[in-house]
Amino acid sequence: RCSVDNRVTRVAWLNRSSILYAGNDKWCLDPRVVLLANTKTQYSIQIQDVDVYDEGPYTCSVQTDNHPKTSRVHLIVQVSPKITEISSDISINEGGNVSLTCIATGRPDPTITWRHISPKAVGFISEDEYLEITGITREQSGEYECSASNDVAAPVVQRVKVTVNYPPYISDAKSSGVPVGQKGILLCEASAVPSADFQWYKDDKRLAEGQKGLKVENKAFFSRLTFFNVSEQDYGNYTCVASNQLGNTNASMILYVVNGVDVSVSAGPGAVHDGNSGAWRRGGCLWLLALPLAQLARHF
């Protein structure tokens, strides 16, 4: 807008050195520029659908009886933030290095922040376009959110999924005591990415799915070996093997006879065998201390 009075005889709007309007006459070819008012008190133009190229100085030039006068205004164009480039989802082995990128545009230049979408994460982990993670751990897997903000509009966010692969780790394996003729269950729980494949062995013989009287149920994070009608031949040592392409581990447990109520004794971490290191952890047979000596004499 340009305020004028009755002393003005001629008016014009200029953008830099280009004439936009002179009086009521349009000099520019841009259809977005229109004359709003040319009265005794105001001479104003409107720029529709503003873009960044419209930014700059605009001059209102008026001619009076005495001498010309000019009034200048600078148009500042603000642009909402927009993320133009972001890293794709990534899968990496534990211990590797990760580099994530998030590029955004806007006026003024947006501020970029990264945060880990995790209950354990507190605050931002990077206030830069680039996020570097050295020696990544399985706890650092998940989604990472890039946020671009410049106060012109609400921040824009996009996420990158980081999958951390690691070899299986058996977290729970329990020996079980079951009376003859009853139902018995051995359970093996393992954490791994990708999910572990499970196999069961009795002594050195692999147990097959569908074997008479047995059922093997494999899920993403556990395997269950079920005996529908336990017999004397079922008692003994069983080994659960969990493996993926990064390695394998195993745990031993025992199906043993008891009279009366079914009991389960945790093999615990002491019974877990790391297939990568080939070392048994201590304490794998501590459960034997809980059994009566009479039963040990009868069954072993």
Side-chain angles (χ1 to χ4, degrees), residues 13-15 18-22 25-35 45-47 58:
W13 268 107
L14 298 85
N15 177 13
S18 301
I19 300 176
L20 301 177
Y21 270 92
D25 297 328
K26 185 174 184 178
W27 285 53
C28 72
L29 299 177
D30 192 338
R32 299 176 304 122
V33 181
V34 296
L35 181 65
I45 60 173
Q46 182 184 74
I47 305 171
Y58 289 78

Side-chain angles (χ1 to χ4, degrees), residues 15 29 49 75 79 110 120 142 152-153 162 190-191 236 252 272 288 292 298:
N15 177 13
L29 299 177
D49 193 21
L75 176 63
V79 181
K120 297 181 180 179
V152 176
V162 176
S191 175
S252 290
V272 176
L288 292 173
R298 183 171 57 188

Side-chain angles (χ1 to χ4, degrees), residues 175-213:
S175 296
S176 181
V178 183
V180 173
Q182 298 297 311
K183 182 179 179 180
I185 295 177
L186 293 177
L187 186 65
C188 179
E189 297 182 3
S191 175
V193 176
S195 297
D197 294 321
F198 292 92
Q199 295 179 0
W200 286 92
Y201 293 83
K202 183 181 182 184
D203 299 324
D204 295 329
K205 183 180 180 181
R206 181 180 174 183
L207 304 180
E209 175 64 37
Q211 190 170 331
K212 186 177 180 180

Side-chain angles (χ1 to χ4, degrees), residues 55-161:
E55 184 167 296
Y58 289 78
T59 303
C60 175
S61 178
V62 300
Q63 179 71 41
T64 66
D65 293 335
N66 297 326
H67 55 272
K69 294 181 179 180
T70 60
S71 178
R72 176 172 291 187
V73 60
H74 195 95
L75 176 63
I76 299 173
V77 179
Q78 295 180 319
V79 181
S80 301
K82 180 181 180 181
I83 295 176
T84 58
E85 178 184 343
I86 191 167
S87 298
S88 301
D89 293 346
I90 185 173
S91 178
I92 188 168
N93 293 346
E94 190 171 37
N97 300 329
V98 173
S99 187
L100 301 180
T101 302
C102 181
I103 307 297
T105 59
R107 294 170 71 96
D109 291 336
T111 299
I112 308 296
T113 55
W114 282 98
R115 69 187 183 102
H116 185 198
I117 308 300
S118 168
K120 297 181 180 179
V122 179
F124 298 115
I125 54 176
S126 174
E127 296 187 4
D128 193 3
E129 296 176 340
Y130 306 100
L131 173 62
E132 304 286 342
I133 305 175
T134 303
I136 194 167
T137 66
R138 64 193 68 179
E139 290 77 19
Q140 292 174 300
S141 65
E143 289 189 320
Y144 287 79
E145 181 180 86
C146 169
S147 174
S149 173
N150 66 359
D151 296 328
V152 176
V156 292
V157 297
Q158 290 190 29
R159 294 182 177 184
V160 178
K161 184 177 181 180

